[in-house]
Amino acid sequence: MPVNVLTSGRYASLTHADFAALGAARLSVGGSLARVAYGAAINAAQGMLNGDFSGLARAADEAEINTLLTKHQRS
């Protein structure tokens, strides 16, 4: 029987191959990507409150985002 797995929390360190070996047929990240984004925003904001704007240098540029979003589109 295929198993669906939420790949977050303590399971986030496993690879696609690890999940496949365990019998997972479908992987879901749930809200993990949003929490990663919130974490980055919080870290950058905390730096800015202390006068450090270097956290903004890690921002993805528009071309990088567009490439990622269009590269894996299903047809």
Side-chain angles (χ1 to χ4, degrees), residues 4-73:
N4 297 329
V5 178
L6 181 61
T7 61
S8 64
R10 63 182 171 165
Y11 304 111
S13 63
L14 298 176
T15 66
H16 186 269
D18 293 333
F19 285 113
L22 293 170
R26 180 174 175 249
L27 303 177
S28 173
V29 297
S32 295
L33 286 177
R35 288 191 299 277
V36 168
Y38 294 145
I42 289 168
N43 288 337
Q46 287 173 333
M48 288 186 287
L49 289 171
N50 293 316
D52 178 7
F53 291 83
S54 64
L56 300 177
R58 292 187 292 275
D61 65 24
E62 186 176 348
E64 183 179 11
I65 295 167
N66 287 336
T67 298
L68 176 67
L69 294 177
T70 58
K71 183 177 180 182
H72 299 288
Q73 286 183 351

